[in-house]
Amino acid sequence: MLDISELSRKSDVPASKLRYYEEVGLIRSVGRKGLRRVFDDSVLPRLALIALGQAAGFSLAEIRDMLGEERRPRIDRDMLSDKADALDRHIQELSALRDGLRHAASCTAPSHLECPTFQRLMRIALARQGTRERSRDKARMTGKTGERRRGDGA
Amino acid sequence: MLDISELSRKSDVPASKLRYYEEVGLIRSVGRKGLRRVFDDSVLPRLALIALGQAAGFSLAEIRDMLGEERRPRIDRDMLSDKADALDRHIQELSALRDGLRHAASCTAPSHLECPTFQRLMRIALARQGTRERSRDKARMTGKTGERRRGDGA
DNA sequence: GCTTGACTTCAAGTTGACTTGAAGTAGTAG
DNA sequence: CTACTACTTCAAGTCAACTTGAAGTCAAGC
């Protein structure tokens, strides 16, 4: 059982962020001690997963969907699998980009836009990109942030 | 030689975005025909690189640094190499996340936060994360958007 | 030579993910 | 019991990366 500052210290996540995450339903406190939130240890791994999901380029809404709403542990395995596939494609692209950068760093061609190796690597990366057909347009998601939108009253 | 709508069509990038990219110095038009911008074909691969860079999680400012300011093709090879290394670490994390998702999708444990395999995968991912020590705090960059900041006058 | 419509500029709006600040409250140390 | 301080809420601010809208311009077709 942790209060917000202990959780903040242990997770290296600012308290304001923790409150925000609770507000949008990414984490939950197990109760209050007076006014103060009380968290339990299970939010630590959860916060780590959130950070990881963000690093993977998922929005908080997507991450919330992936993790489930804390007390609904049964999460959609097909969706998870789809996310994994999408992530894998993303990884392929990034790998191509990494190789491109790596090559550009060592290549002695006058301008690497003219270097055939670089061009080939980029073609590979871009071909993949075309394959996905703007899949990130669908990532915008239809709000569904539960509560929220209070900061726009007046 | 393309006008903005042709470029938009060929690149599948909205004209507003192209103007924005020009404004912030990511691309350049070769001139004007009357008021209208004229681009040459070299911006097409450049736009593709920009998209790729974004997919890799770089900010537009970082991408601009990586690509150079169009007429300064000599770009810093050490920096490129550092970016490649950073990207590679990122890829490792994403791979761990992908494996975690993949496993979660097929795992029959009651809740995969309790599944030992999942926990192990996450530990690996998180260990890596600790290694980087908040490197993304440095990614904020010191503005340096050249011109810009006009839309916030009053 | 006038209308049309795709371009232009510039300001302002939007979205996601937060942070900051003011004003209030409550467990704890003295 | 009072003070202190770390918490609380809520509104508003910020930042990147764009988009939207209003008002203007200009080459082309009729």
Side-chain angles (χ1 to χ4, degrees), chain A residues 3-5 19 32 35-37 150-151:
Chain A
D3 89 344
I4 204 170
S5 61
R19 287 190 205 100
R32 295 288 178 120
L35 262 190
R36 310 180 175 196
R37 288 164 181 82
R150 291 178 293 82

